[in-house]
Amino acid sequence: MPESWVRASILIRINSLASGHSGVRPIIINNMLELLKNNITPMIPLRGTISASGDLMPLAYIGGTLEGKRGTIVRIGRKTEQRVVTANVALEASHLTPIKLGPKEGLALINGTAVSCGVAVLAMHEANNLAVLAQVLAAMSVEALCGTDESFDPFFGNVRPHQGQIESGRNIHSFLARSKLVQRNHGLEEGSLRQDRYSIRTASQWLGPILEDLVLASTQLTIECNSVTDNPLIEFDLENPGRTRTHHGGNFQAKAVTSAMEKVRLGIQTIGQMLFAQCTEIINSKLNNGLPPNLVADEPSQSWLMKPVDIMIAALQSELGFLSNPAGTHVLSAEMGNQSLNSLGLISARYTHVALDVLSQLASAHLFTLCQALDLRAMQLAFLGAMKPVLIEYTSEILSDGEGLGDFHASLWKQFTMQLDHTTSLDSDQRFATIFKALQPTVLDFTTSSSSNTVSTVKTWSARCATQAQEIFLRNREVYLRQPDASGILGAAGVRLYKFVRDELKVPFLCTSMLRDSNPGALPCPHDTPCQAECTDKDQPRPSMTIGSYISTIYNSIRDGRLYTPVLECLAEV
């Protein structure tokens, strides 16, 4: 077992024995504390308990360590200077005397749910963190898709007052504060959506029940952590010692742990389903509201940047579907029929950790995708800002001033942006020619003339606009790739996560050329921003980076907890 699992088990067993109902001497509890203080950790097999009469086998290794048994193998010391020795050697090195167990003490040590519970509470902590991260990612998905915050208006929770829905709706709505990408869609324009698709529109209704299940699971595990779970138990009457009673029962049955873990694991799968739906929608140019296919910053025919991510997340979500199946339904009778009911609590907790790891990978891929999409949005806004005055200028040159010209410019701009969204799969040399060819009839209609000279003028206008638009587009792309920064358009939560990924983790806005490696062991540019111009050390050897390695960088920040600093800052602001 991982060292953290074992240490958590020892701590919870100490807490249980300290209640005074297990019949152990204080020295037992003190020596267990010394194991933690001296970094003595038994090496316990990962499998082998059904968590019915408690976790007999794993707890026996803790008991064997206290006794200094030569057959019990332990780790001693901190990770950087850790040794593997026998229990007697570890106790001697720490100046601890092996325990000689008295009546009831052996049973009190090995009979209980501490291992199942210890492993479960660590999973619970991770699940709670990932649930908060999922809400931040949902908000960032709204931004990436230029969705609306209307879906998270408090009114929805007021008329359907599930606490989880109210909480997640409030959080996501707050996370979107100050975002310049959030839209209010009225559905009046041709081809526009009045409502967002379900992956973002129903995020609070989807996540709400999960949050409620996580609260219940946390309550179950908190009670279990502070319970006495061995057998038999002793009831003391301090005023009348003669009335002390011994109770024989089944507090060692860890079904409460199993119940908590099954809820958590199903919640993990459900969170994953939402992230998967959002991520595939963002990658798909048919659904993502004007982003290029596969979120390429290059010409679409020359790059399939997010194709491996799209495949990867399908594999991960499929695995989460398998892992969401209950473990507690696979009970077999054990110990010659005595343990005919057994909780399988530790098995359930173990698989919950596996599911959490898979969800962490999925969340990492989604966050990577989101940052790429948000940079593309920022790059497009910069292009539109540069293109609009040029289009007005060129159009004004072929049209006479008159009533309605201002409205026409506004209408033409709307059609241009709509065509821009509909042609994201075309390379720039084809894209703008196609767009302005499609706009020719609109300009001709406004001129109220159908002479050959007018048609020729409009065709010339079309070609000129297409050429200039492509030049502006390519120049804008080159400038943005040198110094990408989408932080100015993002909401309260999105800006924190985006900056963390870009500035702290050094995961860049990608174009395909940055992943091509003609010089093995080196990248085109060693700077923090890989597309920086006038690089003087292009041939300096450095590790090659891939999409997978960038996603792994984000994944590692989830697993070691660094990512949760900005995530919890987002929550604190709410």
Side-chain angles (χ1 to χ4, degrees):
M1 286 185 189
E3 191 173 355
S4 59
W5 294 12
V6 179
R7 289 176 64 82
S9 304
I10 294 172
L11 182 62
I12 291 174
R13 198 78 205 109
I14 289 169
N15 194 50
S16 178
L17 296 177
S19 69
H21 296 291
S22 301
V24 301
R25 293 167 294 161
I27 192 173
I28 299 290
I29 298 170
N30 291 335
N31 277 27
M32 291 180 79
L33 283 169
E34 290 299 323
L35 295 184
L36 296 177
K37 291 178 181 177
N38 288 278
N39 296 295
I40 299 173
T41 309
M43 296 180 68
I44 301 177
L46 189 64
R47 298 175 178 86
T49 177
I50 54 175
S51 306
S53 187
D55 296 300
L56 294 172
M57 181 277 290
L59 287 169
Y61 282 80
I62 297 173
T65 302
L66 291 171
E67 291 182 289
K69 287 187 176 293
R70 297 177 183 274
T72 301
I73 309 300
V74 303
R75 297 184 182 94
I76 183 171
R78 298 188 179 277
K79 288 189 179 296
T80 54
E81 49 190 29
Q82 207 168 62
R83 296 180 295 143
V84 175
V85 298
T86 56
N88 60 307
V89 172
L91 294 184
E92 183 178 354
S94 301
H95 308 291
L96 297 175
T97 303
I99 291 288
K100 291 185 178 181
L101 299 175
K104 176 65 173 70
E105 289 179 335
L107 189 56
L109 280 173
I110 68 170
N111 193 211
T113 66
V115 179
S116 297
C117 191
V119 176
V121 294
L122 293 174
M124 190 77 249
H125 178 70
E126 284 191 50
N128 286 332
N129 283 335
L130 281 168
V132 180
L133 174 59
Q135 294 170 76
V136 176
L137 296 180
M140 294 177 72
S141 297
V142 173
E143 293 184 282
L145 291 165
C146 289
T148 176
D149 61 356
E150 180 185 6
S151 309
F152 312 103
D153 191 286
F155 171 78
F156 292 106
N158 293 339
V159 297
R160 194 191 191 209
H162 291 291
Q163 287 305 305
Q165 178 182 329
I166 291 171
E167 179 181 334
S168 58
R170 180 191 65 230
N171 290 344
I172 296 172
H173 193 271
S174 298
F175 293 159
L176 290 169
R178 303 183 294 279
S179 174
K180 296 178 182 177
L181 293 173
V182 170
Q183 307 288 321
R184 269 300 170 100
N185 302 317
H186 300 291
L188 300 178
E189 297 176 12
E190 183 181 351
S192 67
L193 292 175
R194 174 62 183 87
Q195 306 174 104
D196 294 328
R197 294 184 178 85
Y198 285 16
S199 73
I200 55 177
R201 195 200 326 166
T202 67
S204 62
Q205 290 85 357
W206 187 263
L207 290 172
I210 302 169
L211 300 186
E212 293 173 13
D213 280 348
L214 293 182
V215 169
L216 176 55
S218 295
T219 300
Q220 289 177 300
L221 293 178
T222 300
I223 292 171
E224 192 73 7
C225 284
N226 293 285
S227 297
V228 185
T229 60
D230 56 288
N231 183 67
L233 299 177
I234 301 168
E235 182 183 5
F236 293 99
D237 188 332
L238 297 178
E239 295 181 359
N240 296 288
R243 293 183 181 178
T244 296
R245 299 173 59 198
T246 301
H247 297 275
H248 295 262
N251 271 10
F252 45 64
Q253 184 70 269
K255 189 63 176 178
V257 175
T258 312
S259 175
M261 288 294 95
E262 311 287 58
K263 284 191 284 287
V264 170
R265 208 161 56 257
L266 182 59
I268 291 167
Q269 185 275 337
T270 308
I271 290 172
Q273 188 64 50
M274 183 192 74
L275 301 185
F276 171 78
Q278 292 167 352
C279 196
T280 54
E281 187 172 331
I282 292 166
I283 292 172
N284 187 346
S285 60
K286 302 295 184 183
L287 304 174
N288 63 21
N289 199 17
L291 292 171
N294 288 304
L295 303 182
V296 299
D298 315 84
E299 301 297 342
S301 69
Q302 299 174 18
S303 176
W304 295 267
L305 189 72
M306 290 293 173
K307 181 176 180 177
V309 178
D310 205 355
I311 295 169
M312 168 193 173
I313 59 175
L316 294 173
Q317 184 55 28
S318 296
E319 187 170 356
L320 284 180
F322 168 75
L323 290 169
S324 67
N325 287 292
T329 57
H330 298 276
V331 173
L332 297 175
S333 181
E335 200 203 346
M336 292 190 288
N338 183 39
Q339 298 185 36
S340 55
L341 292 179
N342 43 81
S343 72
L344 306 182
L346 182 57
I347 293 175
S348 186
R350 279 175 34 222
Y351 279 105
T352 303
H353 277 275
V354 175
L356 286 163
D357 184 72
V358 175
L359 182 61
S360 297
Q361 294 179 52
L362 179 52
S364 304
H366 189 29
L367 181 53
F368 173 82
T369 302
L370 284 167
C371 290
Q372 181 78 9
L374 293 170
D375 268 316
L376 288 169
R377 291 290 184 201
M379 187 169 76
Q380 185 180 38
L381 287 175
F383 163 70
L384 292 174
M387 183 63 201
K388 188 173 184 177
V390 173
L391 180 58
I392 292 174
E393 177 189 344
Y394 284 13
T395 306
S396 297
E397 290 176 1
I398 66 166
L399 299 176
S400 57
D401 292 335
E403 185 177 350
L405 184 59
D407 290 340
F408 175 74
H409 282 312
S411 174
L412 186 66
W413 180 249
K414 281 185 179 180
Q415 291 187 51
F416 171 75
T417 56
M418 187 181 297
Q419 288 292 330
L420 196 67
D421 289 349
H422 292 165
T423 55
T424 55
S425 61
L426 297 178
D427 288 354
S428 59
D429 57 345
Q430 298 176 312
R431 185 181 188 185
F432 294 104
T434 301
I435 289 173
F436 284 100
K437 185 176 181 180
L439 295 179
Q440 287 179 15
T442 302
V443 178
L444 281 171
D445 286 345
F446 186 77
T447 63
T448 67
S449 172
S450 58
S451 68
S452 59
N453 186 52
T454 301
V455 172
S456 176
T457 299
V458 171
K459 286 184 177 180
T460 302
W461 165 87
S462 174
R464 186 183 178 202
C465 286
T467 300
Q468 188 63 22
Q470 184 185 6
E471 289 179 6
I472 293 172
F473 178 81
L474 295 176
R475 185 166 61 248
N476 176 75
R477 182 172 68 185
E478 181 183 357
V479 170
Y480 191 85
L481 281 168
R482 288 177 180 172
Q483 198 167 9
D485 184 10
S487 60
I489 62 173
L490 302 182
V495 68
R496 280 195 169 96
L497 268 289
Y498 174 85
K499 284 186 173 181
F500 179 81
V501 171
R502 293 288 187 253
D503 299 341
E504 296 295 322
L505 299 183
K506 308 300 183 186
V507 174
F509 176 45
L510 285 180
C511 61
T512 303
S513 61
M514 294 159 55
L515 298 171
R516 292 185 182 135
D517 189 5
S518 58
N519 180 10
L523 285 176
C525 169
H527 294 146
D528 290 341
T529 305
C531 277
Q532 243 162 8
E534 299 180 3
C535 177
T536 57
D537 351 92
K538 292 184 178 179
D539 298 323
Q540 293 297 318
R542 299 182 335 284
S544 298
M545 297 297 284
T546 64
I547 290 175
S549 57
Y550 284 127
I551 292 174
S552 294
T553 298
I554 299 173
Y555 164 81
N556 289 333
S557 75
I558 291 177
R559 300 302 290 173
D560 65 24
R562 284 176 294 151
L563 183 68
Y564 292 123
T565 297
V567 167
L568 295 179
E569 285 174 354
C570 297
L571 191 62
E573 191 174 85
V574 175

